Amino acid sequence: MQLFLEIGKYSRLLYEAIRSATEFKTYRKNLFSEMVKTGTDSLGIVSVAGFFTGAVLTIQTSYQFTSALIPKSTIGAITSQSMIIELAAVISGLVLSGRVGARIATELGNMRVSEQIDALESMGFNSVTFLVIPRVVAGILTFPIIYIAAAISGITGGVLAGIMTGSVTVHEFMEGARMFFFPWDVAFGIIKSFVFGFVITSISCYQGYFASGGAEGVGHATTRATVLSCIYVLLSSFLLAAILL
Amino acid sequence: MIEIKNLKKSFGDNLVWENVNLTIEDGTTLAIVGKSGCGKSVLLKHLNALLYPDEGEVLIKGRNVFQLSYVDLRIVRQKFGVLFQGAALFDSISAFENIAFPLRYFTSKTEKEIRSRVMDCLEMVNLSNIGNKGTSELSGGMRKRVGLARAIVLEPEYLLYDEPTSGLDPETSDEINDLIIHMTKNLSITSVVISHDMHSVLRVAEHVVFLDEQKLSWQGSIDELRVADHKRLKEFTKASEYQI
């Protein structure tokens, strides 16, 4: 029963957000600052995560492919393919579930328990337009850029790890990467990052917007936002792979 | 005029109050008193439809706020200024910007006009030297006064005060009380004050309602309050350590 109530409240919040999405003037200013906080400020951590994921992937692949019959370019193919199709999007999704999801839930939760959301409503603002739309739209618009950054740094990490360990040369790595490069894979990764952007920001907004019970309630909301965002990132990744690949 | 008719509110199985009937005349100050948890803030939040009741209506100039479209409701809400218990200042912007905030979104005033209006409001609450201080740099009393300046910046017809003097020292409380009296008289604003500070209530209010035992237990003028023969009201005023 509680689950249905939660789904109903979440759907109603989204409906209200979509209904008031035309009030661009209200959230224009917030949208740009949210894009900076969600996108620009997250590039560093996501690039680092992507870089080391690519590096580890290269080392592990070369460790497993011991047969001389398998060309070394396969290492580049596997690393780049894995990063583009799955890992860049999922790793950045999981990292941003913590970084962006927690921030959004805490911000909105604090605003709720300190009556700042009531203050907005009492002034005549639509608080959903003002608070939820810019965060969700910023997530949808910036996550694809973050995904691309994660994919590039992952492949870079893979190349550098290959050179440092002597398991593969740049030429061999890039030969494999080019051989198995399909534009649809990039499109698939971008579609996934759009979905992740929406999932993480909307769940976190929901948790924060309806937080209650003071500081402890905000803590619970933040934890739920992070955990649920991670779960739904993995679930939507699975569903998208099943549907689109 | 605000009319409250047969209002009932509960959260789940917990009844907050029921059968609340009340009329607030224009230009007067009404105080809602009662124990903590009796639903004073809940009642206040029904006046501008921040909360919706289970039953009943709130009429603002004859229109039931709970039946308004969201667009109309937002227009009605702009007739209200609200001073929240913790002031509810937006902590990501300065005190000045908090007051300028509604002006930037709901008026077409120029930057110079906005600055002038904000300074006028700050002067009214005796904070004209606040500059561009962040909200975290303000004391409790200053936060309340900035909250009050923000509440009056759009020149509302009604001002709602949720525990305006709670957590303040007696001297600062008196300053806030003076401001409430000043706002009501000089700006012809209808005020509703929630408080359990009877000293403050007796200073600012003309009418008092007492919420108790899940209903509006008593209502009358300040003079009637002084001679009221209502056991629980007497106990409440006695417990507030103020002889009336």
Side-chain angles (χ1 to χ4, degrees), chain B residues 11 25 56 59 63 71 79 110 139 146 154 158 188 198 215 227 243:
Chain B
F11 292 109
E25 298 291 341
L59 305 174
R63 297 176 76 194
V71 174
K79 295 182 193 298
T110 63
S139 66
V146 171
L154 286 179
Y158 310 98
S188 301
M198 289 308 292
K215 63 181 189 291
V227 293
Q243 284 305 121

Side-chain angles (χ1 to χ4, degrees), chain A:
Chain A
M1 187 64 185
Q2 185 62 28
L3 177 69
F4 290 114
L5 276 174
E6 295 270 336
I7 292 170
K9 271 169 81 178
Y10 174 70
S11 309
R12 200 163 164 199
L13 184 75
L14 290 184
Y15 168 74
E16 184 58 41
I18 292 165
R19 200 172 63 109
S20 54
T22 49
E23 295 177 35
F24 185 64
K25 191 190 162 204
T26 310
Y27 63 86
R28 181 186 55 200
K29 244 192 258 175
N30 277 7
L31 176 61
F32 292 119
S33 70
E34 281 302 321
M35 285 176 75
V36 170
K37 282 195 251 180
T38 302
T40 316
D41 293 355
S42 301
L43 279 174
I45 180 69
V46 168
S47 299
V48 169
F51 181 90
F52 283 104
T53 305
V56 170
L57 198 58
T58 295
I59 293 168
Q60 287 187 348
T61 308
S62 64
Y63 170 73
Q64 287 171 325
F65 286 2
T66 50
S67 169
L69 295 172
I70 301 171
K72 288 196 171 179
S73 61
T74 311
I75 297 169
I78 288 175
T79 301
S80 60
Q81 275 272 65
S82 304
M83 288 306 300
I84 290 170
I85 293 177
E86 177 69 8
L87 290 174
V90 171
I91 294 290
S92 55
L94 292 176
V95 169
L96 294 181
S97 292
R99 194 191 178 283
V100 175
R103 177 182 64 78
I104 289 175
T106 309
E107 269 178 8
L108 297 193
N110 272 321
M111 289 188 77
R112 170 61 73 192
V113 299
S114 63
E115 295 185 307
Q116 290 177 50
I117 293 180
D118 281 345
L120 276 174
E121 289 282 344
S122 70
M123 283 177 203
F125 284 98
N126 181 338
S127 59
V128 175
T129 315
F130 201 79
L131 300 171
V132 175
I133 293 182
R135 285 167 172 82
V136 174
V137 173
I140 293 171
L141 293 180
T142 56
F143 270 43
I145 298 164
I146 292 169
Y147 154 74
I148 291 168
I152 291 172
S153 47
I155 293 168
T156 308
V159 171
L160 289 176
I163 296 167
M164 283 167 65
T165 57
S167 55
V168 62
T169 65
V170 179
H171 177 75
E172 287 166 335
F173 189 101
M174 294 314 292
E175 186 189 356
R178 270 198 298 270
M179 200 180 297
F180 287 90
F181 176 80
F182 305 107
W184 167 245
D185 294 345
V186 178
F188 176 67
I190 289 173
I191 291 168
K192 271 213 297 203
S193 59
F194 274 125
V195 174
F196 292 172
F198 171 76
V199 165
I200 293 168
T201 51
S202 62
I203 287 175
S204 305
C205 281
Y206 168 73
Q207 293 296 338
Y209 190 84
F210 291 108
S212 61
E216 193 183 0
V218 176
H220 283 310
T222 306
T223 307
R224 277 197 302 271
T226 311
V227 172
L228 288 175
S229 294
C230 288
I231 291 170
Y232 282 101
V233 160
L234 296 170
L235 182 66
S236 54
S237 177
F238 166 73
L239 290 175
L240 287 169
I243 295 166
L244 296 177
L245 290 182

Side-chain angles (χ1 to χ4, degrees), chain B residues 76-82 117 148-160 183 187-190:
Chain B
V76 167
R77 279 177 176 167
Q78 285 176 17
K79 295 182 193 298
F80 284 84
V82 185
R117 175 68 188 146
L148 187 52
R150 188 180 66 183
I152 59 170
V153 76
L154 286 179
E155 301 178 58
E157 293 174 38
Y158 310 98
L159 257 177
L160 311 180
M183 298 296 164
L187 305 179
S188 301
I189 289 175
T190 307

Side-chain angles (χ1 to χ4, degrees), chain B residues 50-96:
Chain B
L50 285 179
L51 288 174
Y52 280 68
D54 302 338
E55 290 170 18
E57 48 191 27
V58 169
L59 305 174
I60 308 287
K61 292 181 179 165
R63 297 176 76 194
N64 184 358
V65 290
F66 306 123
Q67 287 180 345
L68 296 175
S69 68
Y70 192 61
V71 174
D72 288 340
L73 177 60
R74 286 164 68 180
I75 294 166
V76 167
R77 279 177 176 167
Q78 285 176 17
K79 295 182 193 298
F80 284 84
V82 185
L83 174 59
F84 288 90
Q85 196 168 350
L89 300 180
F90 305 127
D91 39 27
S92 56
I93 53 178
S94 68
F96 182 95

